[in-house]
Amino acid sequence: MKRIAMMNEDAVSPVIGVMLMIVVTIIIAAVVSGFAGGMTSSESKVPNAAFTVHPNLKGNGTIAFHHTGGDELMLDEILVQLEYNSTSIILSNLDNMTGGDSDLTYLSEMGGDADGFIRGGDRLVLTCDTNANKVFVFEPQDAATNFTIPYYGHIKYMILDKESAKAIQTGEFVLR
């Protein structure tokens, strides 16, 4: 009687097949985890910067925000919100003052090279329309009412990123 030997001719061994299945499972889990964890989020990041506040009651009536460190900020992308006695105003360098020269804007840059970027050492300056009778008055051309801050008033401020509409810095100061 003749014996016929059977040969196992599998193309891939079972061990390698199991390993391939594990690798595919891990890759799928990583992709799902990335989407669930916000890896593909399109939300913009808020710049990180620190400022000190210096109101100047003498002369032109300015509030200087001195950039002491952190990210470089673009002047066109910054808003400043002031709040006093439950009223508030948001100003940018695109808001024109009502005063004599309509080309003047509320926000400007001082220091460094005045190139439209606020870096460490530069000052972001907020100028009021009127500084008389012990009050700062802001009268934007498009605003329905004025915003007035008296001397010794406790003012809350917020420096906002225009793109994300989130606060870069918040704080309080006394106008004195």
Side-chain angles (χ1 to χ4, degrees):
M1 185 175 218
K2 255 184 174 186
R3 259 184 163 197
I4 300 176
M6 298 195 67
M7 294 180 57
N8 190 359
E9 296 183 16
D10 288 341
V12 179
S13 77
V15 172
I16 293 175
V18 170
M19 292 298 288
L20 286 173
M21 293 297 285
I22 291 173
V23 168
V24 168
T25 304
I26 290 172
I27 291 171
I28 291 172
V31 169
V32 169
S33 174
F35 281 109
M39 183 171 78
T40 61
S41 174
S42 63
E43 186 175 321
S44 61
K45 182 181 172 197
V46 179
N48 181 17
F51 292 90
T52 56
V53 183
H54 305 282
N56 179 4
L57 302 178
K58 298 175 184 168
N60 58 359
T62 61
I63 303 168
F65 298 92
H66 186 227
H67 188 289
T68 57
D71 295 335
E72 176 182 280
L73 304 171
M74 199 166 139
L75 184 61
D76 291 344
E77 295 297 320
I78 298 172
L79 301 170
V80 175
Q81 178 179 337
L82 300 176
E83 183 180 327
Y84 175 72
N85 277 352
S86 71
T87 60
S88 66
I89 190 168
I90 297 177
L91 300 165
S92 75
N93 70 326
L94 301 176
D95 294 317
N96 290 327
M97 300 171 87
T98 304
D101 188 355
S102 62
D103 290 337
L104 294 177
T105 59
Y106 288 104
L107 282 181
S108 60
E109 173 193 3
M110 294 184 77
D113 50 9
D115 60 353
F117 292 92
I118 310 296
R119 299 177 185 87
D122 290 348
R123 286 174 290 163
L124 174 65
V125 179
L126 179 62
T127 305
C128 69
D129 288 283
T130 307
N131 176 22
N133 301 323
K134 298 194 176 200
V135 295
F136 274 16
V137 180
F138 296 92
E139 307 174 81
Q141 287 180 348
D142 300 331
T145 61
N146 299 343
F147 181 76
T148 304
I149 305 170
Y151 285 12
Y152 300 104
H154 291 266
I155 294 88
K156 293 180 183 179
Y157 73 91
M158 213 182 311
I159 300 173
L160 301 162
D161 175 44
K162 219 184 254 187
E163 186 177 329
S164 65
K166 293 184 180 175
I168 298 170
Q169 179 173 324
T170 61
E172 293 184 32
F173 63 92
V174 175
L175 194 60
R176 55 176 147 184

